[in-house]
Amino acid sequence: GENVEQHPSTLSVQEGDSAVIKCTYSDSASNYFPWYKQELGKGPQLIIDIRSNVGEKKDQRIAVTLNKTAKHFSLHITETQPEDSAVYFCAPSGVSSASKIIFGSGTRLSIRP
Amino acid sequence: DVKVTQSSRYLVKRTGEKVFLECVQDMDHENMFWYRQDPGLGLRLIYFSYDVKMKEKGDIPEGYSVSREKKERFSLILESASTNQTSMYLCATRTHQETQYFGPGTRLLVL
């Protein structure tokens, strides 16, 4: 079956530094690559996504890069701020997975003041 | 804005009780999902539904059932609650563009 791996599981960075989280997937038919952010006590929310016809997408301090050949995509957060502290999930999906989406195991990001 | 609401934020039940968790969405999405979230295990899919009265088992359906009588409402049922069903339960919908929208979650404690 499909396999999704997310690394690292925890990440602590100094405020103002950058953070990178990587997601590796096995289903070559995947064509949609989102990142979700879950704050304490809330459900996950989409923060950025990319489709397979694009290599990189940026939205202010957040960017996602995709390497379809190597089957991985990454979340980049620059100039980190305290409000970036949360758990982040990747959830690649595509036509072959029908309505089923497999989430990565999550990365707990902590921003040190 | 898409809104997904869950009937309770916190719930305490006793072993053997029948438990209903309800989820309502206001955006006419066909696909709805129930996940449970446990520390170290991420989000695991229990059941999903791609249309009214249609349902499919996810990865961990044992001990659960679901009901989708109306498009906007998807219910998760614990027929006989057990302590290992203590967890955070998350409902989600999905658009044709694949994005998922989550409710705030229900934290269930089974004593």
Side-chain angles (χ1 to χ4, degrees), chain B residues 20 43 69 111:
Chain B
F20 293 87
L43 279 79
E69 295 297 317
L111 300 173

Side-chain angles (χ1 to χ4, degrees), chain B residues 36 46-47 57-65 78 82 84-85:
Chain B
R36 66 177 280 176
I46 305 171
Y47 267 97
K57 291 180 180 178
D59 299 315
I60 50 164
E62 296 78 22
Y64 303 94
S65 62
L78 286 65
S82 62
N84 63 13
Q85 291 178 310

Side-chain angles (χ1 to χ4, degrees), chain B residues 49-93:
Chain B
S49 168
Y50 50 88
D51 204 349
V52 176
K53 296 193 186 293
M54 307 300 285
K55 60 185 179 184
E56 294 259 355
K57 291 180 180 178
D59 299 315
I60 50 164
E62 296 78 22
Y64 303 94
S65 62
V66 290
S67 172
R68 186 129 182 238
E69 295 297 317
K70 293 183 178 180
K71 192 173 186 180
E72 67 270 19
R73 190 180 296 268
F74 191 35
S75 302
L76 180 70
I77 304 154
L78 286 65
E79 296 290 343
S80 177
S82 62
T83 53
N84 63 13
Q85 291 178 310
T86 290
S87 187
M88 167 73 99
Y89 290 88
L90 289 161
C91 173
T93 71

Side-chain angles (χ1 to χ4, degrees), chain A residues 5-103:
Chain A
E5 291 188 0
Q6 190 176 329
H7 295 284
S9 56
T10 59
L11 180 60
S12 178
V13 301
Q14 193 76 35
E15 183 177 349
D17 287 352
S18 296
V20 181
I21 304 169
K22 185 175 178 179
C23 184
T24 305
Y25 60 95
S26 61
D27 186 356
S28 55
S30 295
N31 59 7
Y32 177 64
F33 307 95
W35 285 98
Y36 292 86
K37 175 184 181 182
Q38 185 177 25
E39 296 175 328
L40 200 62
K42 297 183 179 179
Q45 279 196 304
L46 178 76
I47 53 169
I48 196 166
D49 57 10
I50 196 169
R51 296 192 184 271
S52 56
N53 57 344
V54 178
E56 182 174 356
K57 183 177 176 181
K58 196 171 180 181
D59 181 4
Q60 298 183 353
R61 297 186 297 107
I62 294 170
V64 54
T65 58
L66 171 65
N67 185 329
K68 276 216 86 177
T69 305
K71 291 191 219 168
H72 64 74
F73 62 111
S74 297
L75 174 68
H76 305 255
I77 306 174
T78 58
E79 299 171 26
T80 52
Q81 298 171 5
E83 56 263 35
D84 295 328
S85 293
V87 180
Y88 293 82
F89 294 96
C90 63
S93 67
V95 173
S96 68
S97 57
S99 293
K100 191 172 172 180
I101 298 173
I102 298 175
F103 281 78

